[in-house]
Amino acid sequence: ALNALGLYQAAIESFDQAILLQPAFPEAHHSRGVALYKLRRFQAALDSLDQAIEIKPDYAEAYSGLANTYNAERKFDQAAAASASNAARPKIAPCSRMVCESGKSQSTLRLTGSRKLNT
């Protein structure tokens, strides 16, 4: 909510508190990275986004944040690498109630390219 209001420094402080309480909280690291990016503190943003990815390697939004931050720094090769890393990850459809209750494992729901899940 603080990020959405443009209160980036307050948001960073809030995310710092959340990370102190739960260090393995990838969303807090990601959101902290977004706030740091908005303040043009790019290296700190990259550090937070990297931490989010370390905790949750398939975190697409964090890869996108990395790419955006590298682009802002005019580090286009690193931006392309972050985008490619994200694109190379398998996309997993969200587990709908009907599918989950049917007992099918989430791994059967992997999507590639533009193929869609038929339910």
Side-chain angles (χ1 to χ4, degrees):
L2 294 171
N3 268 351
L5 294 172
L7 302 172
Y8 304 119
Q9 188 58 48
I12 291 165
E13 292 166 11
S14 177
F15 296 127
D16 285 345
Q17 290 299 312
I19 291 165
L20 281 175
L21 295 172
Q22 188 176 358
F25 185 17
E27 291 81 2
H29 289 281
H30 169 258
S31 295
R32 182 179 187 275
V34 170
L36 289 161
Y37 169 86
K38 294 289 190 174
L39 293 174
R40 303 188 59 78
R41 293 172 49 194
F42 297 133
Q43 187 55 56
L46 292 170
D47 293 342
S48 287
L49 294 164
D50 281 335
Q51 186 64 34
I53 291 167
E54 185 174 318
I55 296 165
K56 185 177 177 184
D58 64 344
Y59 199 175
E61 291 87 353
Y63 282 101
S64 179
L66 281 179
N68 290 338
T69 305
Y70 282 127
N71 274 326
E73 289 192 300
R74 305 186 60 78
K75 295 180 179 177
F76 302 120
D77 289 341
Q78 290 98 323
S83 292
S85 292
N86 187 32
R89 303 222 170 269
K91 306 299 183 233
I92 300 176
C95 187
S96 72
R97 183 174 177 199
M98 185 171 71
V99 173
C100 287
E101 288 177 359
S102 73
K104 291 183 181 176
S105 72
Q106 184 107 9
S107 64
T108 64
L109 304 177
R110 291 188 185 274
L111 303 176
T112 58
S114 63
R115 289 186 359 214
K116 295 185 179 177
L117 181 65
N118 295 319
T119 56

